Amino acid sequence: MGPAWMSALYLFFFTDSRGFSISQANILLVIYIAAGLVGAPATAWLANRISKHRALALTAIGYSLMLVVLYLSPKASVPIAAPAMFLAGALAAGSVVMIRSLTADIGDEIRLEKDQHQIGLLYALTSGTTKAAGALAVTLTFWVLSLVGYNPAEHAVNGPTQIRGLELAYIIGPVVFVMLGGACFIGYKLSAER
């Protein structure tokens, strides 16, 4: 999902746009990463109640909303940004768990219907597409930054127009792609009953 795109712009966005120091941005990043310890099991619990594909769709919606909340929240306020970063990290981890779990379900379906063990191939495909998407996200990110004139070099001075371009790249790309990914599971048929 969006984290690959987000990671490429993270420090730029949180320092140049949101006004955090590098140490504050790093604290928020630790909160984001640590939230995965809560988000992964919480999403698994939710999936057992509403289904995996619905849990994945909810994590996509929630993650996108947290990015918007971070953008709209007051600048340089760790107490306000910390809960949003915690939720974003929990939702991102939950989506990874759901993608892996849905992959396992598809492997089970293939094994039951065709008597073929393809789970290794499916995990390799999932892992490969995730890595390819991450590489594409980084490439696309820096291409977009060059289009808006943002200079990512250390101690570079970027004006309001370049900062605005950075903000739009940080928010629009992940929200659009994460929401599209979540929308792919609308009407998903492989349920626990099936």
Side-chain angles (χ1 to χ4, degrees):
M1 282 197 180
W5 181 284
M6 180 181 155
S7 64
L9 297 180
Y10 178 80
L11 272 179
F12 305 136
F13 178 77
F14 275 81
T15 56
D16 290 351
S17 168
R18 307 316 311 147
F20 292 101
S21 68
I22 290 177
S23 62
Q24 289 172 323
N26 286 334
I27 289 168
L28 291 172
L29 185 58
V30 167
I31 291 169
Y32 177 91
I33 293 167
L37 297 173
V38 174
T43 305
W45 175 86
L46 179 64
N48 286 327
R49 273 122 193 101
I50 66 169
S51 79
K52 293 175 185 179
H53 69 283
R54 287 187 185 105
L56 179 60
L58 283 177
T59 61
I61 293 167
Y63 180 81
S64 297
L65 289 174
M66 287 306 103
L67 290 181
V68 173
V69 165
L70 286 166
Y71 174 68
L72 297 176
S73 64
K75 291 185 176 189
S77 176
V78 173
I80 292 176
M85 285 297 284
F86 182 86
L87 287 171
L91 292 162
S95 68
V96 171
V97 168
M98 287 302 97
I99 290 168
R100 300 297 188 261
S101 184
L102 288 164
T103 302
D105 290 347
I106 293 166
D108 287 344
E109 182 182 40
I110 292 169
R111 183 178 50 81
L112 292 171
E113 290 183 359
K114 298 182 180 181
D115 196 29
Q116 295 178 356
H117 298 275
Q118 300 291 331
I119 194 68
L121 179 61
L122 290 170
Y123 276 124
L125 181 62
T126 301
S127 180
T129 55
T130 301
K131 290 178 185 200
L136 180 62
V138 171
T139 303
L140 188 57
T141 296
F142 285 97
W143 177 71
V144 168
L145 289 183
S146 70
L147 288 179
V148 299
Y150 180 83
N151 184 353
E154 191 173 357
H155 306 299
V157 177
N158 290 290
T161 302
Q162 289 77 29
I163 300 295
R164 181 72 172 153
L166 166 69
E167 292 168 344
L168 293 175
Y170 188 83
I171 298 300
I172 292 172
V175 168
V176 167
F177 290 118
V178 168
M179 294 297 278
L180 281 173
C184 289
F185 287 90
I186 294 172
Y188 188 75
K189 302 281 191 245
L190 187 55
S191 63
E193 297 76 21
R194 183 170 167 207

